Amino acid sequence: MITGLHHVAVVLPDADLALKFFRDLMGLTVTADQVVEEQGVRGVLLACGENEIELLQPTRADTGVSRFLDSRGPTLHHFCFSTDDIRGELARIEALGLEIIDKTPRVGLAGEVAFIHPRSMHGVLVELAQPPAGAHASTAKGFDHLAVRVSDLQAAAKRWNDVVGLPLVNTIGPSDTGTLIGQMPTGQCMVELIAPATPEAALAKQIAENGEGAASMVAIEVQDIAAEVARYRAAGITIPDATPGVLPNSVRTSISADQAFGLSIQLIQFKR
């Protein structure tokens, strides 16, 4: 079965430089760092509570990851979900009639891995991983939420539930900007489907032009957002004051993707 969100991966040109931000400034711990020669990448996993962030640095120019970086620049690459039976899950998903990139698992940084094509997951490249014994595990909260832009909330929610077992448990909106947010829990994180409430909403036009897909961001809950803002500013990061968030009883701010190596970091504090 699929057991939860393992990591999000970001493609970037220099993992060592990115570690100065993710490890040294954010305080995340490296759990793995190796070159996967077959895939032509150096991968670094950093623990963030129950989840991880993976830094993917191409080591050769003749690979899909290198071409992805050349065409899109530093940005989010995929979501990864862990499983205790990757072969059984691949057979189950293929029986749904979906497009699978890897019909048999291969060796990756997170263990045995296989990918589902973005065309089958509303624009998101999804990896399945069966981690080895002794891999990082935690019960601490990691990400608060991730976001995926979709054109049809109900259709997308059904697909994500069918494939990776994420139920739609709540819908927020429509908001002032004409969007709906569908929340699907995976562990202590929510995958949020962001959909236009009407065909005239600005998001509907954006999706028509650019397609569905994941936002290159992760949201992380903090206990004292003012202190976090001050800490990042002291390190030379430009970060706005916190303002009321879309989620109930929240305030939020963000470190831009160009300062965080392609992955925007949203800091969110909830008023308990």
Side-chain angles (χ1 to χ4, degrees):
M1 64 179 293
I2 291 174
T3 54
L5 180 72
H6 188 276
H7 68 260
V8 299
V10 57
V11 174
L12 38 73
D14 188 334
D16 286 325
L17 189 59
L19 282 169
K20 295 181 183 299
F21 176 81
F22 290 101
R23 179 193 61 201
D24 301 340
L25 183 52
M26 287 189 67
L28 305 183
T29 301
V30 173
T31 61
D33 184 346
Q34 70 181 73
V35 173
V36 183
E37 295 289 356
E38 178 187 354
Q39 299 176 33
V41 297
R42 174 190 174 192
V44 183
L45 284 171
L46 299 110
C48 182
E50 65 182 354
N51 309 123
E52 298 187 70
I53 293 174
E54 182 179 31
L55 311 180
L56 288 175
Q57 174 190 325
T59 58
R60 300 197 312 267
D62 62 340
T63 64
V65 172
S66 180
R67 291 188 291 272
F68 184 97
L69 178 61
D70 289 343
S71 65
R72 304 193 189 189
T75 191
L76 187 137
H77 187 255
H78 65 262
F79 291 176
C80 177
F81 292 87
S82 56
T83 175
D84 56 9
D85 181 10
I86 192 168
R87 288 166 179 78
E89 288 300 320
L90 285 174
R92 180 185 64 81
I93 293 167
E94 189 171 21
L96 294 174
L98 304 187
E99 187 173 355
I100 296 175
I101 295 173
D102 301 293
K103 293 185 181 295
T104 57
R106 50 191 164 104
V107 176
L109 188 62
E112 288 191 292
V113 304
F115 285 89
I116 305 168
H117 201 285
R119 283 191 290 265
S120 291
M121 294 302 296
H122 292 266
V124 182
L125 178 63
V126 171
E127 180 183 34
L128 301 181
Q130 185 167 338
H136 163 74
S138 174
T139 59
K141 183 176 180 179
F143 307 147
D144 183 78
H145 65 270
L146 311 173
V148 179
R149 296 179 298 271
V150 299
S151 57
D152 184 325
L153 178 59
Q154 294 302 322
K158 183 178 186 307
R159 175 59 53 85
W160 279 83
N161 190 39
D162 288 348
V163 177
V164 290
L166 304 189
L168 181 67
V169 297
N170 188 37
T171 301
I172 301 171
S175 68
D176 293 341
T177 59
T179 60
L180 295 168
I181 300 175
Q183 296 184 309
M184 306 182 302
T186 172
Q188 298 173 78
C189 174
M190 286 284 186
V191 175
E192 296 189 339
L193 302 177
I194 315 297
T198 67
E200 295 76 30
L203 180 59
K205 298 175 183 177
Q206 293 173 13
I207 291 174
E209 293 175 359
N210 302 311
E212 299 176 301
S216 189
M217 62 78 68
V218 294
I220 298 172
E221 183 180 357
V222 297
Q223 299 305 309
D224 187 341
I225 200 165
E228 289 297 304
V229 168
R231 183 173 73 85
Y232 281 107
R233 285 176 176 168
I237 299 294
T238 300
I239 180 171
D241 291 335
T243 57
V246 175
L247 299 179
N249 302 312
S250 71
V251 292
R252 65 178 182 177
T253 186
S254 292
I255 300 169
S256 63
D258 61 348
Q259 297 181 99
F261 298 87
L263 186 69
S264 175
I265 307 297
Q266 182 183 120
L267 305 178
I268 185 166
Q269 179 181 344
F270 294 97
K271 299 174 184 178
R272 306 296 185 187

